Amino acid sequence: MFGYRVPAPDEAMLISGGRRGLGGAPFRVVTGHGKFVLPVFRKVRFLTLSMCESEVVETCVTKQGIALHVRAVIAFKVGNDTESIINAGQRFLSDQDQMSVLTGRIFAGHLRAIIGSMTVEEIVTERQKLAAEVLDTSKTEMAKIGLIVDSLQIQSIDDGDTGYIDAMSAPHKAAIQRQAQIAQAQANQAAAEAEQEAARRQAEYARQTAVVKAEYSAEVDRAQAHAAQAGPLAQAHAQQEVLAAQTELAQRQAKLRQQELVAEIVKPAEAEAERVRILAAAEAQRMKIQAEAAASYDRVALDRMLIDQLPQIVKEAAGGLAGANVNVLNGADGLGEIAAGLVAQGLTILDSVRQNLNGNGSGDRPSGGGRAEQGNGRLELQGPSAAKPDGDGRPGEGDGPDRRTS
């Protein structure tokens, strides 16, 4: 649009004419936006705000009186604030290239002053300290002309033909050379050790290879020998197996023959012995039974004989009462009791005799007499025979048994 002007991002637009700028400045400062400018009545100029560079090459004398050729580079620009733009515009607007020249001269003066107060060793070893002191001393002067310094770099320091810096660096060079020689010697030693290690490994590998080849060769020889012996060994094993089979067959045949002998001889002999034993046992049992039967028959015959003799025994017992005084108290009943008692006495005598014949010895029953009780009658027989009565008709004392019936 006609009359509307806009500055670039790295420029400041200075408008002169009309009312003065702030603080009594001969122009108005516009940055970052456009503005209408009346033609003919207003004049517009632009001041750069971009980075500028100035190189300083100066010969400076140190505190020790040694001349040093110093080369430095300064990076600066116009300040962003309005005051710095006004100061720079008033000084460099018509010839903005003069900013680099003037800045170089200002820094050259401060550089000579500061280097004059330092030794060569300090300058060489403390370049950053030198640059910081130069910036601090020049900051006020640079602000007065509207400039600010972003950085100061000391690029080189040279003493020309004096050789002071070289002499100062000689011990360090010697130390560095010594360290380099030591490092080279160590590298050579390491290389030699590496070569020796490589040779040793190569020899070890060759030895292992030879050992492996020898083992392979021995294994091949063993395999060949084994293959050569395989036929005879197989034949020997086959013969051994045949012998083992024959031995086993012979053992089985011997065992079978033993079983046959047992079946043919031992078993029949044992059976015969068992038969003889059974027959002998049966014969003994038969003889025992016959003996027991004979003994039983004898007892039966004896009992029969005794039974046959019982009437005679009772008769003889009754004969003993012939001369006795018998008083029968209860008539016919008492007489029956006496007869029964005589019979019982005879039976007792028969039993006693039977026991004596059986070998039982003397028993509770008397052998020559007995006692029989029946009802209210009692018959006592003392001794084998009865005593005859004495003259008055009574049995004598101690001469014979008493026969009493009550």
Side-chain angles (χ1 to χ4, degrees), residues 216-234:
Y216 287 162
S217 178
E219 186 175 357
V220 171
D221 294 339
R222 286 194 299 270
Q224 291 177 354
H226 183 71
Q229 295 175 357
L233 287 175

PDB file of all heavy atoms in Angstrom, residues 216-234:
ATOM      1  N   TYR A 216      44.354 -90.527  14.892  1.00  0.00           N
ATOM      2  CA  TYR A 216      43.581 -91.065  13.773  1.00  0.00           C
ATOM      3  C   TYR A 216      44.280 -92.276  13.160  1.00  0.00           C
ATOM      4  O   TYR A 216      43.656 -93.293  12.837  1.00  0.00           O
ATOM      5  CB  TYR A 216      43.350 -89.992  12.719  1.00  0.00           C
ATOM      6  CG  TYR A 216      42.348 -88.942  13.108  1.00  0.00           C
ATOM      7  CD1 TYR A 216      42.275 -87.717  12.457  1.00  0.00           C
ATOM      8  CD2 TYR A 216      41.454 -89.171  14.150  1.00  0.00           C
ATOM      9  CE1 TYR A 216      41.344 -86.763  12.822  1.00  0.00           C
ATOM     10  CE2 TYR A 216      40.529 -88.228  14.525  1.00  0.00           C
ATOM     11  CZ  TYR A 216      40.482 -87.013  13.862  1.00  0.00           C
ATOM     12  OH  TYR A 216      39.569 -86.067  14.227  1.00  0.00           O
ATOM     13  N   SER A 217      45.624 -92.138  12.992  1.00  0.00           N
ATOM     14  CA  SER A 217      46.377 -93.239  12.406  1.00  0.00           C
ATOM     15  C   SER A 217      46.311 -94.483  13.301  1.00  0.00           C
ATOM     16  O   SER A 217      46.104 -95.607  12.818  1.00  0.00           O
ATOM     17  CB  SER A 217      47.830 -92.808  12.202  1.00  0.00           C
ATOM     18  OG  SER A 217      48.592 -93.877  11.676  1.00  0.00           O
ATOM     19  N   ALA A 218      46.463 -94.269  14.655  1.00  0.00           N
ATOM     20  CA  ALA A 218      46.374 -95.403  15.581  1.00  0.00           C
ATOM     21  C   ALA A 218      44.987 -96.017  15.559  1.00  0.00           C
ATOM     22  O   ALA A 218      44.823 -97.250  15.594  1.00  0.00           O
ATOM     23  CB  ALA A 218      46.732 -94.936  16.999  1.00  0.00           C
ATOM     24  N   GLU A 219      43.973 -95.170  15.481  1.00  0.00           N
ATOM     25  CA  GLU A 219      42.609 -95.685  15.424  1.00  0.00           C
ATOM     26  C   GLU A 219      42.368 -96.487  14.153  1.00  0.00           C
ATOM     27  O   GLU A 219      41.722 -97.549  14.165  1.00  0.00           O
ATOM     28  CB  GLU A 219      41.631 -94.522  15.514  1.00  0.00           C
ATOM     29  CG  GLU A 219      40.181 -94.954  15.600  1.00  0.00           C
ATOM     30  CD  GLU A 219      39.247 -93.779  15.806  1.00  0.00           C
ATOM     31  OE1 GLU A 219      39.750 -92.648  15.931  1.00  0.00           O
ATOM     32  OE2 GLU A 219      38.025 -94.004  15.830  1.00  0.00           O
ATOM     33  N   VAL A 220      42.943 -96.001  13.034  1.00  0.00           N
ATOM     34  CA  VAL A 220      42.817 -96.740  11.772  1.00  0.00           C
ATOM     35  C   VAL A 220      43.518 -98.086  11.886  1.00  0.00           C
ATOM     36  O   VAL A 220      42.998 -99.129  11.442  1.00  0.00           O
ATOM     37  CB  VAL A 220      43.385 -95.897  10.617  1.00  0.00           C
ATOM     38  CG1 VAL A 220      43.474 -96.737   9.340  1.00  0.00           C
ATOM     39  CG2 VAL A 220      42.493 -94.682  10.368  1.00  0.00           C
ATOM     40  N   ASP A 221      44.732 -98.070  12.500  1.00  0.00           N
ATOM     41  CA  ASP A 221      45.458 -99.340  12.671  1.00  0.00           C
ATOM     42  C   ASP A 221      44.667-100.314  13.541  1.00  0.00           C
ATOM     43  O   ASP A 221      44.594-101.512  13.245  1.00  0.00           O
ATOM     44  CB  ASP A 221      46.832 -99.064  13.289  1.00  0.00           C
ATOM     45  CG  ASP A 221      47.723 -98.272  12.344  1.00  0.00           C
ATOM     46  OD1 ASP A 221      47.460 -98.273  11.123  1.00  0.00           O
ATOM     47  OD2 ASP A 221      48.690 -97.623  12.829  1.00  0.00           O
ATOM     48  N   ARG A 222      44.098 -99.795  14.647  1.00  0.00           N
ATOM     49  CA  ARG A 222      43.300-100.660  15.507  1.00  0.00           C
ATOM     50  C   ARG A 222      42.093-101.213  14.767  1.00  0.00           C
ATOM     51  O   ARG A 222      41.725-102.391  14.935  1.00  0.00           O
ATOM     52  CB  ARG A 222      42.842 -99.885  16.750  1.00  0.00           C
ATOM     53  CG  ARG A 222      43.941 -99.634  17.750  1.00  0.00           C
ATOM     54  CD  ARG A 222      43.364 -99.184  19.094  1.00  0.00           C
ATOM     55  NE  ARG A 222      42.616 -97.943  18.982  1.00  0.00           N
ATOM     56  CZ  ARG A 222      43.160 -96.731  19.126  1.00  0.00           C
ATOM     57  NH1 ARG A 222      44.458 -96.620  19.405  1.00  0.00           N
ATOM     58  NH2 ARG A 222      42.418 -95.658  19.025  1.00  0.00           N
ATOM     59  N   ALA A 223      41.459-100.353  13.961  1.00  0.00           N
ATOM     60  CA  ALA A 223      40.305-100.818  13.198  1.00  0.00           C
ATOM     61  C   ALA A 223      40.704-101.908  12.207  1.00  0.00           C
ATOM     62  O   ALA A 223      40.005-102.922  12.044  1.00  0.00           O
ATOM     63  CB  ALA A 223      39.661 -99.642  12.469  1.00  0.00           C
ATOM     64  N   GLN A 224      41.854-101.692  11.559  1.00  0.00           N
ATOM     65  CA  GLN A 224      42.314-102.705  10.618  1.00  0.00           C
ATOM     66  C   GLN A 224      42.648-104.017  11.332  1.00  0.00           C
ATOM     67  O   GLN A 224      42.309-105.112  10.867  1.00  0.00           O
ATOM     68  CB  GLN A 224      43.534-102.179   9.857  1.00  0.00           C
ATOM     69  CG  GLN A 224      43.211-101.037   8.888  1.00  0.00           C
ATOM     70  CD  GLN A 224      44.439-100.492   8.193  1.00  0.00           C
ATOM     71  OE1 GLN A 224      45.568-100.885   8.516  1.00  0.00           O
ATOM     72  NE2 GLN A 224      44.231 -99.595   7.228  1.00  0.00           N
ATOM     73  N   ALA A 225      43.362-103.903  12.496  1.00  0.00           N
ATOM     74  CA  ALA A 225      43.686-105.103  13.262  1.00  0.00           C
ATOM     75  C   ALA A 225      42.416-105.810  13.744  1.00  0.00           C
ATOM     76  O   ALA A 225      42.316-107.043  13.707  1.00  0.00           O
ATOM     77  CB  ALA A 225      44.577-104.743  14.449  1.00  0.00           C
ATOM     78  N   HIS A 226      41.471-105.009  14.186  1.00  0.00           N
ATOM     79  CA  HIS A 226      40.204-105.591  14.630  1.00  0.00           C
ATOM     80  C   HIS A 226      39.488-106.289  13.480  1.00  0.00           C
ATOM     81  O   HIS A 226      38.915-107.369  13.645  1.00  0.00           O
ATOM     82  CB  HIS A 226      39.328-104.497  15.217  1.00  0.00           C
ATOM     83  CG  HIS A 226      38.032-105.008  15.767  1.00  0.00           C
ATOM     84  ND1 HIS A 226      37.954-105.756  16.915  1.00  0.00           N
ATOM     85  CD2 HIS A 226      36.757-104.887  15.294  1.00  0.00           C
ATOM     86  CE1 HIS A 226      36.702-106.077  17.148  1.00  0.00           C
ATOM     87  NE2 HIS A 226      35.943-105.558  16.186  1.00  0.00           N
ATOM     88  N   ALA A 227      39.534-105.633  12.311  1.00  0.00           N
ATOM     89  CA  ALA A 227      38.899-106.252  11.141  1.00  0.00           C
ATOM     90  C   ALA A 227      39.613-107.550  10.770  1.00  0.00           C
ATOM     91  O   ALA A 227      38.983-108.539  10.370  1.00  0.00           O
ATOM     92  CB  ALA A 227      38.907-105.274   9.969  1.00  0.00           C
ATOM     93  N   ALA A 228      40.982-107.549  10.906  1.00  0.00           N
ATOM     94  CA  ALA A 228      41.730-108.765  10.581  1.00  0.00           C
ATOM     95  C   ALA A 228      41.423-109.889  11.566  1.00  0.00           C
ATOM     96  O   ALA A 228      41.425-111.073  11.200  1.00  0.00           O
ATOM     97  CB  ALA A 228      43.221-108.463  10.561  1.00  0.00           C
ATOM     98  N   GLN A 229      41.168-109.524  12.828  1.00  0.00           N
ATOM     99  CA  GLN A 229      40.877-110.529  13.844  1.00  0.00           C
ATOM    100  C   GLN A 229      39.395-110.878  13.933  1.00  0.00           C
ATOM    101  O   GLN A 229      39.023-111.760  14.717  1.00  0.00           O
ATOM    102  CB  GLN A 229      41.341-110.029  15.211  1.00  0.00           C
ATOM    103  CG  GLN A 229      42.848-109.848  15.314  1.00  0.00           C
ATOM    104  CD  GLN A 229      43.269-109.240  16.636  1.00  0.00           C
ATOM    105  OE1 GLN A 229      42.408-108.916  17.450  1.00  0.00           O
ATOM    106  NE2 GLN A 229      44.565-109.097  16.834  1.00  0.00           N
ATOM    107  N   ALA A 230      38.589-110.183  13.176  1.00  0.00           N
ATOM    108  CA  ALA A 230      37.147-110.392  13.297  1.00  0.00           C
ATOM    109  C   ALA A 230      36.760-111.820  12.920  1.00  0.00           C
ATOM    110  O   ALA A 230      35.948-112.467  13.593  1.00  0.00           O
ATOM    111  CB  ALA A 230      36.399-109.392  12.413  1.00  0.00           C
ATOM    112  N   GLY A 231      37.398-112.347  11.803  1.00  0.00           N
ATOM    113  CA  GLY A 231      37.053-113.701  11.380  1.00  0.00           C
ATOM    114  C   GLY A 231      37.397-114.761  12.414  1.00  0.00           C
ATOM    115  O   GLY A 231      36.529-115.529  12.855  1.00  0.00           O
ATOM    116  N   PRO A 232      38.685-114.825  12.870  1.00  0.00           N
ATOM    117  CA  PRO A 232      39.018-115.823  13.909  1.00  0.00           C
ATOM    118  C   PRO A 232      38.234-115.644  15.192  1.00  0.00           C
ATOM    119  O   PRO A 232      37.830-116.626  15.820  1.00  0.00           O
ATOM    120  CB  PRO A 232      40.520-115.590  14.134  1.00  0.00           C
ATOM    121  CG  PRO A 232      41.007-114.999  12.847  1.00  0.00           C
ATOM    122  CD  PRO A 232      39.888-114.165  12.341  1.00  0.00           C
ATOM    123  N   LEU A 233      38.035-114.397  15.575  1.00  0.00           N
ATOM    124  CA  LEU A 233      37.255-114.160  16.791  1.00  0.00           C
ATOM    125  C   LEU A 233      35.829-114.664  16.636  1.00  0.00           C
ATOM    126  O   LEU A 233      35.260-115.276  17.558  1.00  0.00           O
ATOM    127  CB  LEU A 233      37.255-112.668  17.135  1.00  0.00           C
ATOM    128  CG  LEU A 233      38.563-112.097  17.700  1.00  0.00           C
ATOM    129  CD1 LEU A 233      38.451-110.596  17.879  1.00  0.00           C
ATOM    130  CD2 LEU A 233      38.900-112.754  19.029  1.00  0.00           C
ATOM    131  N   ALA A 234      35.240-114.412  15.477  1.00  0.00           N
ATOM    132  CA  ALA A 234      33.867-114.884  15.253  1.00  0.00           C
ATOM    133  C   ALA A 234      33.818-116.409  15.288  1.00  0.00           C
ATOM    134  O   ALA A 234      32.903-117.007  15.875  1.00  0.00           O
ATOM    135  CB  ALA A 234      33.358-114.354  13.914  1.00  0.00           C
TER     136      ALA A 234
END
